[in-house]
Amino acid sequence: MLEAINLSKSFRQHQALKNLNLKIELGQIYCLLGANGAGKTTTINLFMNFIQPTTGEARINGLDVTKHGTKTKEFVAYIPENLMLYPNLTGMENLVYFSKLAGKNYDKKQYEAFLNQVGLQRTAFDRRVSSYSKGMRQKVGIALALAKDARALLLDEPVSGLDPKASNEFSNLLLQLKEEGLAILMATHDLFRARETGTHIGIMNEGKLVASVESQAVSHPELESLYLEHMN
């Protein structure tokens, strides 16, 4: 569902991403670890077609995103570190508005079902988003992915700044989406969540994917050791 083929990106003299090869199937969560500037966000921006690759391809559902930008966006939902919702609209109103932008239209009960599914408190449905915590906004983002019927999810530091309870709730939501067959690519600094949530983990350093493992093949201490080894 998500594939990078010799994907590279340079900004003037700086090579932000170097020949990335990556494949994420339906029902997999691939967590990208790495320091700031390692190339994680660049990778996600290339998949979203926010920036153009210098060389190589980013593909969603087999289609090159640079050649099929509109079509590939039908398959994917994107949740950045700070999800942009309309603060003066309620959670429900944001969900309805962005769903319709994506060409989807449901009755009120179905919209409520999406919000219930992601665990947003019923009392928050009709409250303005300006009163929401970050964790609540992220839940609306997941509800949007469900309403859009996305088959792939791109996440850039989604648990950054969340308290442990909210972070755990978000991880459980991702595991639920994995079971429903979504392909998920998540950039994160959180080794613990990567190990607990991901099916696969990649470590990036200076634009290169320097290690890739199945999460169940390594313990938490082994993952930490592997990460630190590649940060030197």
Side-chain angles (χ1 to χ4, degrees):
M1 178 54 71
L2 297 170
E3 186 176 14
I5 304 170
N6 297 320
L7 190 61
S8 298
K9 179 62 180 179
S10 294
F11 297 96
R12 296 184 180 178
Q13 301 304 312
H14 173 62
Q15 195 167 8
L17 195 65
K18 304 171 185 176
N19 295 315
L20 176 66
N21 287 285
L22 189 64
K23 189 177 289 188
I24 305 166
E25 307 287 354
L26 293 172
Q28 292 182 344
I29 300 176
Y30 197 106
C31 295
L32 281 180
L33 294 170
N36 290 333
K40 306 186 303 297
T41 295
T42 298
T43 299
I44 288 175
N45 286 342
L46 286 163
F47 271 110
M48 286 303 300
N49 201 28
F50 293 156
I51 55 176
Q52 301 288 303
T54 304
T55 57
E57 293 181 20
R59 293 180 179 177
I60 298 176
N61 201 26
L63 300 174
D64 184 338
V65 300
T66 61
K67 297 176 182 175
H68 305 277
T70 302
K71 184 65 178 177
T72 52
K73 281 189 172 61
E74 294 177 12
F75 305 114
V76 68
Y78 167 62
I79 300 181
E81 182 174 358
N82 293 298
L83 182 65
M84 298 303 293
L85 299 171
Y86 286 102
N88 290 329
L89 297 182
T90 67
M92 175 67 77
E93 288 168 343
N94 270 281
L95 179 59
V96 171
Y97 176 74
F98 285 108
S99 296
K100 287 182 176 179
L101 276 186
K104 303 290 185 179
N105 201 1
Y106 304 95
D107 61 29
K108 185 179 180 183
K109 283 190 176 181
Q110 185 58 64
Y111 284 119
E112 289 176 345
F114 290 134
L115 293 173
N116 279 321
Q117 187 175 344
V118 300
L120 189 69
Q121 306 96 303
R122 181 65 185 84
T123 55
F125 288 10
D126 297 316
R127 273 171 39 205
R128 289 186 179 185
V129 166
S130 57
S131 71
Y132 280 20
S133 66
K134 177 177 176 178
M136 294 166 71
R137 293 196 302 273
Q138 300 293 55
K139 287 178 179 179
V140 175
I142 295 291
L144 281 167
L146 294 172
K148 189 178 179 181
D149 196 24
R151 304 314 302 152
L153 194 56
L154 298 171
L155 307 166
D156 194 2
E157 299 289 351
V159 297
S160 173
L162 295 186
D163 63 47
K165 181 177 182 293
S167 182
N168 184 64
E169 288 175 350
F170 191 82
S171 293
N172 287 335
L173 273 174
L174 295 187
L175 290 172
Q176 175 188 321
L177 295 177
K178 174 181 77 74
E179 292 303 313
E180 292 178 9
L182 270 71
I184 300 171
L185 175 61
M186 177 168 69
T188 181
H189 284 101
D190 192 330
L191 273 70
F192 176 79
R193 290 294 168 201
R195 169 64 178 71
E196 290 296 302
T197 308
T199 58
H200 298 75
I201 299 168
I203 298 173
M204 299 193 74
N205 190 22
E206 295 182 346
K208 290 184 179 180
L209 184 66
V210 293
S212 184
V213 295
E214 291 187 18
S215 59
Q216 295 306 310
V218 293
S219 64
H220 285 293
E222 287 170 339
L223 177 59
E224 185 176 36
S225 178
L226 182 66
Y227 180 84
L228 293 173
E229 173 190 336
H230 286 290
M231 291 303 105
N232 293 330

